[in-house]
Amino acid sequence: MIVKELKITNSNGDSIEFGRHFQLTNGLDLSNLSANVSYSESTRDGANYQLTVLDIREFDLSFFIDYNHRENWWMEERRRELFRVFNPKHNPMRLDLTTKGQETYYLNANLVAAPSLPQGFENDNGAWQKGLLQFSCDDPFIYSSTSSVVDIAVWNGAFEFPLEIPSEGIEMGYRSESLIENVFNNGDTETGMIIRFKALASVKNPSLVNINTYESLKLNFDMVGGDVIDVSTYIGKKTVTLTRNNVQSNIFYAVDLTSTFIQLNPGDNLFRYDAEEGIDNLEVSMSFTNQFVGV
């Protein structure tokens, strides 16, 4: 993959951008992700397939320092900069990249060693110095840098400026009639999401149902006007947060025992929202980030 821009940021917030003093030697190879495929014994020929688990992602990043006959002190500063930012004790690192086609992605990776500089910082040509970074990723996925947001139930504005109000009045807004909305996951794998329930007035026990899988997420909670509830269904990051009068609180207890923290499958996902009371006062939206096996 040809990378046009690359920025690497460590867990302390320190970063290096490649493109000026530090240049990439080659493209960034994020292919060849291996997987463990599990089987069980079978009474017939072969075996029974069980599941597939992706391995950790491992890759190297080769670069060079644009020395260009500068003074030794300048090279020493670049050396300190490299070891300060690319310190394995400051894992994990975030790699933000832009491809030649202007697509933007990021991935989280861990340095497995300090920067490798095979010839030290002295050069025969006095112009550049090679270097190498070695990474492994416990999370093997590559993420889109932009999140997708889908509004299922929302009030839409119905006027624009310049505005003339006729004698019979004017419709200030209208509500989407459909209770069902398709959410398209353009990624390579299922992903969690943030489900947002917003109450314009009183709402009792809001819920969301995946029509394809019949999975549902229901909250046993009475919302008042202005309440916002954000439900994270990301694996390992499941939360239910109420924002009322600009104060956030944990209401995980409100999740109905029959609920599922719904995931988005690749492709189409049909959802229907509901509430036991006040459904017309409810706005629902979902946000998620596409995940890719390779780019």
Side-chain angles (χ1 to χ4, degrees):
M1 176 180 60
I2 299 176
V3 177
K4 183 178 180 181
E5 299 175 5
L6 175 64
K7 179 180 178 180
I8 303 179
T9 306
N10 66 23
S11 60
N12 284 349
D14 301 316
S15 62
I16 282 180
E17 293 188 36
F18 290 82
R20 189 182 176 189
H21 303 315
F22 305 104
Q23 302 276 350
L24 295 179
T25 304
N26 301 305
L28 183 58
D29 186 1
L30 295 176
S31 62
N32 298 319
L33 178 62
S34 58
N36 287 316
V37 182
S38 298
Y39 301 94
S40 62
E41 292 185 2
S42 173
T43 56
R44 58 178 176 79
D45 294 334
N48 294 320
Y49 170 76
Q50 297 296 312
L51 78 163
T52 298
V53 177
L54 296 177
D55 283 339
I56 62 174
R57 182 187 296 275
E58 296 180 321
F59 64 94
D60 295 338
L61 192 154
S62 59
F63 66 95
F64 66 91
I65 305 170
D66 187 5
Y67 187 18
N68 198 21
H69 300 88
R70 287 183 172 89
E71 299 293 336
N72 289 334
W73 64 265
W74 185 93
M75 200 61 173
E76 289 297 324
E77 285 189 356
R78 302 290 77 73
R79 169 178 179 154
R80 288 299 312 129
E81 185 177 4
L82 278 170
F83 284 110
R84 176 175 56 83
V85 176
F86 298 134
N87 180 350
K89 296 291 287 185
H90 296 159
N91 282 327
M93 311 235 169
R94 171 166 165 151
L95 284 70
D96 289 277
L97 57 97
T98 302
T99 68
K100 192 174 182 179
Q102 298 300 318
E103 297 293 333
T104 56
Y105 304 94
Y106 76 90
L107 66 156
N108 299 308
N110 301 299
L111 273 172
V112 300
S116 173
L117 298 154
Q119 302 174 16
F121 278 87
E122 295 182 1
N123 305 270
D124 294 333
N125 59 12
W128 49 266
Q129 170 62 59
K130 290 182 178 180
L132 181 70
L133 298 173
Q134 297 172 287
F135 289 99
S136 69
C137 307
D138 55 301
D139 177 358
F141 291 107
I142 303 165
Y143 295 85
S144 173
S145 295
T146 56
S147 296
S148 299
V149 180
V150 178
D151 295 319
I152 299 181
V154 66
W155 280 92
N156 300 305
F159 67 97
E160 58 185 31
F161 292 96
L163 177 66
E164 293 184 6
I165 301 178
S167 58
E168 66 271 17
I170 187 171
E171 182 181 49
M172 303 296 288
Y174 63 93
R175 184 175 176 82
S176 174
E177 294 294 332
S178 177
L179 298 177
I180 299 175
E181 184 71 32
N182 182 50
V183 178
F184 186 76
N185 174 9
N186 192 41
D188 299 333
T189 184
E190 69 175 20
T191 179
M193 56 184 160
I194 303 294
I195 304 168
R196 169 164 288 189
F197 297 103
K198 181 178 180 180
L200 304 179
S202 297
V203 175
K204 181 177 182 180
N205 300 345
S207 61
L208 185 70
V209 178
N210 184 323
I211 297 176
N212 302 105
T213 64
Y214 301 105
E215 296 173 300
S216 65
L217 175 72
K218 179 182 178 182
L219 301 178
N220 296 319
F221 191 83
D222 292 336
M223 302 178 70
V224 299
D227 280 358
V228 174
I229 299 177
D230 290 316
V231 181
S232 170
T233 72
Y234 287 103
I235 295 175
K237 300 178 182 178
K238 296 175 181 176
T239 58
V240 183
T241 305
L242 167 69
T243 302
R244 175 177 289 176
N245 299 324
N246 295 321
V247 177
Q248 292 188 341
S249 57
N250 176 15
I251 59 166
F252 203 94
Y253 63 86
V255 178
D256 190 90
L257 294 179
T258 63
S259 292
T260 300
F261 281 84
I262 305 170
Q263 303 293 296
L264 289 173
N265 291 316
D268 295 318
N269 298 263
L270 288 175
F271 287 94
R272 184 184 191 279
Y273 70 94
D274 202 353
E276 292 184 8
E277 295 179 12
I279 189 172
D280 288 339
N281 300 323
L282 180 64
E283 290 189 349
V284 183
S285 64
M286 291 178 287
S287 61
F288 62 97
T289 302
N290 291 320
Q291 303 179 34
F292 304 95
V293 172
V295 292

